[in-house]
Amino acid sequence: MGSSRLIAYAPVLAGLGLMTAPAEAALPNCNVGALTALNVSNVTITSVADVPASPSNPEFCDVLGMLKTTGFDAPDGSARFEIKLPATWNGKFLFLGVGGFAGSLSPAANPVDLIGSLGLGYATAVTDTGHSAGATDARWALNGLGQPDEAKITDYYFRAAHQVTGAGKELVSRYYRVSIKRAYFDGCSNGGRMAFVEATRFPEDYDGIIAGAPFLDIRAIIAGAKFQKVQLSPARYIPYTKLPAVDAAVYAACDAADGVADGLIQNPAKCSFDPNALVPGTLTSDQAKTLKSYISALRDDEGNVLYEGAAITDLNTGGGMDLWSTGFVAPLSFTANEPWATDGFAPSPIAWQFADNFFKYVVERTPTFDLRDFGVSTNGVVSDQALKLFDKRSEAGDGDVPAKLLPFIAQGRKMLIYHGFSDPALSPFRTIRYYEDLAKITRGFDELQEHVRLFMVPDMQHCGGGPGPNVFDTLTTLDNWVEHGAAPNGIVASHFTGNNPSQPVDRTMPLCKFPEQAVYNGSGPVKSASSWQCTRNHRLLELGANGRTAGLGDDDSDHNHDHDHDH
């Protein structure tokens, strides 16, 4: 996130109490020699800088280094990390997840948390998870001989985050000469996957965890491959220019389902919008089948749900189905191994980039592999053989088995989950299904909510964006829960005009803990949070045809597949 956007957020953070006065004195021991002298095992300090205070941050010591990663039946690896040590420390450690296939030190976390953390006094840490690459680039998974690089793969799946956590805590406590009071993890997307893997594999690492739009199970990539297989024909491809009409029809059909026609769809699973209603005025019958595929569950040979379909809301906003699935340009060739140009002039959809790279370099281990040859049919069925191969080579990175969260819960730790209902990258319905399955083994929602709470965000897209209220503070919310037992019943979210934080707020709304849906008081302005209440109800469990098509309400789910890897 660029400095200009940080500055734009400054008044927001100040209003939330997330900025502090800058420190005046230079930081002591903020140099390579002093940090190296802390003697943290397997750590090499590569650079240190005393960063002056700015409008967005207090003064802090910026530490870059390398950690030698070891164990877990994999060769030794090496993970880069960055640790920021604020001039005034609050005694707490915050680890930030990274997005996509990682490969950089750019955090993927709630923007409000990320931007406000140093001002609140948190010492923060982030790792590239053991390799350097672009977020959709998986070439690092093969070594120079074309064989799987087990060190990098293991580090990406779980090892680097866990071991940088341990080293980071040690460095922070030695630098300040005080024990860490609390440790939190905050990640979105792949950062959300990292959050769940930490909670299920290493429950002692963190007192509290924030998991946004979690990449719970890597099978999500098969769903992306399925859709690309469906749309890669001239007849079935949907140009993004047709999506505004789709959105308008969906809002006309679903907006009032929560009792108020206010430009907000609180529960897209309750919608019953039929893509065929767009034929012939907007879509052809073939294109309607493509849209139906987009919102339909991925299944195995026996009909069990492997991964939920997408929500049908907010497809055309520059960050919806247009960006992730259809792309802003048509394929140059519908039959080529790489249908879109690879030079940046005709970029492929992000979902294609993820699926194409993961299948080539992690699953099939063949850089010339054609995504269309993987065993998933255009009607969304994955063959047993193909699924076994995919799971064998990916499940070590999953955090999707509800029972494996029980030790984290039993230790009294807290997890706050959020997911945008219009997420085009990772289905919000997958997160809902996980939470429902978790509630079944914790004797219901009430008991589960003592330790784990889910907040669904209407009309928010992947980790942010979209027309719904999408700016909210989860870090302070989690800290108040862990430190003071103040369990959050609702979190107030805001939307800025044009999603630009330098512009006025044009809507506020409470996000209620799942399965509650916000209820309008009947008289106040519909775009003000004061006109809505989080009351005890189960309205987010209500399903229409779209929720059932996506795979909710299906008791034969195969989500909880066995994971054979040792924890």
Side-chain angles (χ1 to χ4, degrees):
M1 185 172 292
S3 59
S4 62
R5 190 170 179 198
L6 291 174
I7 293 170
Y9 264 98
V12 181
L13 301 174
L16 293 171
L18 299 181
M19 296 192 70
T20 60
E24 295 180 359
L27 292 174
N29 301 318
C30 184
N31 57 73
V32 171
L35 270 296
T36 299
L38 297 179
N39 292 319
V40 180
S41 298
N42 292 325
V43 164
T44 300
I45 303 298
T46 56
S47 72
V48 178
D50 186 340
V51 180
S54 70
S56 56
N57 281 316
E59 183 182 11
F60 66 94
C61 186
D62 193 13
V63 183
L64 294 174
M66 301 288 293
L67 174 71
K68 177 183 177 182
T69 55
T70 62
F72 296 97
D73 298 321
D76 292 349
S78 181
R80 288 187 300 152
F81 65 81
E82 180 177 23
I83 294 176
K84 296 181 179 181
L85 305 163
T88 302
W89 184 44
N90 66 3
K92 299 170 187 177
F93 177 78
L94 177 66
F95 199 106
L96 301 164
V98 287
F101 297 139
S104 76
L105 298 176
S106 298
N110 182 333
V112 172
D113 301 350
L114 172 62
I115 298 167
S117 56
L118 285 175
L120 286 168
Y122 286 91
T124 68
V126 64
T127 179
D128 66 358
T129 76
H131 64 271
S132 296
T136 62
D137 183 356
R139 287 174 292 180
W140 51 267
L142 296 180
N143 61 25
L145 300 176
Q147 300 298 315
D149 192 324
E150 297 295 349
K152 288 184 172 65
I153 293 169
T154 302
D155 278 335
Y156 170 69
Y157 282 160
F158 64 87
R159 185 173 68 175
H162 169 59
Q163 295 189 345
V164 172
T165 292
K169 287 180 177 179
E170 192 172 349
L171 186 149
V172 169
S173 62
R174 290 185 182 185
Y175 178 81
Y176 290 110
R177 300 181 182 180
V178 178
S179 296
I180 291 173
K181 182 181 178 182
R182 297 288 188 190
Y184 300 139
F185 191 104
D186 193 338
C188 195
S189 191
N190 179 68
R193 181 193 66 82
M194 294 169 69
F196 270 92
V197 171
E198 273 291 314
T200 53
R201 280 185 177 266
F202 312 108
E204 293 83 13
D205 278 359
Y206 292 98
D207 301 293
I209 287 178
I210 298 164
F215 184 23
L216 270 170
D217 43 345
I218 300 176
R219 284 177 176 179
I221 287 177
I222 307 179
K226 177 261 292 186
F227 179 76
Q228 296 301 331
K229 219 170 185 180
V230 167
Q231 78 162 348
L232 285 176
S233 77
R236 298 194 67 167
Y237 179 76
I238 304 175
Y240 83 97
T241 52
K242 293 198 172 191
L243 298 180
V246 177
D247 283 346
V250 170
Y251 269 85
C254 301
D255 184 2
D258 59 4
V260 184
D262 59 346
L264 197 68
I265 297 174
Q266 287 205 66
N267 181 11
K270 191 178 179 181
C271 293
S272 295
F273 183 81
D274 184 357
N276 289 325
L278 298 167
V279 179
T282 301
L283 302 178
T284 67
S285 59
D286 281 338
Q287 291 170 334
K289 291 176 183 176
T290 300
L291 184 56
K292 183 70 176 289
S293 172
Y294 179 75
I295 63 175
S296 296
L298 183 76
R299 297 180 181 269
D300 65 13
D301 281 335
E302 298 179 353
N304 299 315
V305 175
L306 300 176
Y307 194 79
E308 279 71 17
I312 200 168
T313 49
D314 304 309
L315 308 183
N316 178 78
T317 61
M321 183 186 187
D322 46 10
L323 175 68
W324 284 87
S325 297
T326 65
F328 295 106
V329 293
L332 300 177
S333 167
F334 284 94
T335 58
N337 186 296
E338 295 293 339
W340 287 269
T342 57
D343 59 7
F345 291 102
S348 55
I350 297 176
W352 168 271
Q353 296 175 34
F354 276 120
D356 188 45
N357 270 266
F358 196 79
F359 278 102
K360 277 179 164 67
Y361 301 106
V362 181
V363 180
E364 300 291 343
R365 300 172 178 172
T366 304
T368 58
F369 180 75
D370 192 323
L371 185 60
R372 301 169 186 79
D373 293 336
F374 185 73
V376 56
S377 68
T378 54
N379 63 351
V381 176
V382 187
S383 71
D384 185 60
Q385 182 179 2
L387 185 62
K388 285 181 179 178
L389 175 65
F390 189 91
D391 284 347
K392 178 182 179 182
R393 294 181 175 172
S394 67
E395 64 185 5
D398 290 342
D400 64 323
V401 179
K404 292 182 178 179
L405 194 64
L406 295 181
F408 179 89
I409 292 172
Q411 293 170 21
R413 303 174 193 276
K414 310 297 184 186
M415 176 179 273
L416 194 159
I417 310 167
Y418 66 90
H419 204 142
F421 252 135
S422 293
D423 190 332
L426 296 166
S427 174
F429 305 135
R430 174 68 188 102
T431 299
I432 286 174
R433 169 58 71 94
Y434 174 89
Y435 195 73
E436 290 176 341
D437 288 347
L438 186 58
K440 290 176 184 176
I441 61 174
T442 58
R443 294 183 291 185
F445 291 117
D446 287 348
E447 185 160 328
L448 175 58
Q449 288 166 356
E450 293 296 314
H451 300 280
V452 184
R453 296 196 174 197
L454 167 63
F455 295 85
M456 300 303 296
V457 190
D459 295 317
M460 186 176 87
Q461 293 175 322
H462 188 55
C463 297
N470 52 40
V471 176
F472 48 91
D473 175 6
T474 47
L475 180 56
T476 303
T477 302
L478 177 71
D479 187 50
N480 285 337
W481 192 9
V482 172
E483 287 277 55
H484 308 296
N489 290 318
I491 303 173
V492 175
S494 301
H495 182 272
F496 290 90
T497 303
N499 281 322
N500 184 343
S502 67
Q503 297 299 310
V505 170
D506 56 16
R507 175 154 205 160
T508 58
M509 184 80 176
L511 310 177
C512 304
K513 66 181 186 297
F514 186 89
E516 293 176 6
Q517 178 177 295
V519 176
Y520 178 55
N521 67 14
S523 60
V526 296
K527 294 189 176 183
S528 172
S530 62
S531 302
W532 298 82
Q533 293 182 336
C534 292
T535 61
R536 190 173 178 84
N537 64 67
H538 283 187
R539 293 187 182 181
L540 290 184
L541 296 179
E542 296 175 0
L543 297 180
N546 294 143
R548 288 188 287 272
T549 296
L552 292 179
D554 189 329
D555 292 331
D556 296 325
S557 173
D558 185 49
H559 281 310
N560 300 333
H561 55 287
D562 292 332
H563 288 60
D564 298 325
H565 300 265
D566 293 336
H567 284 205

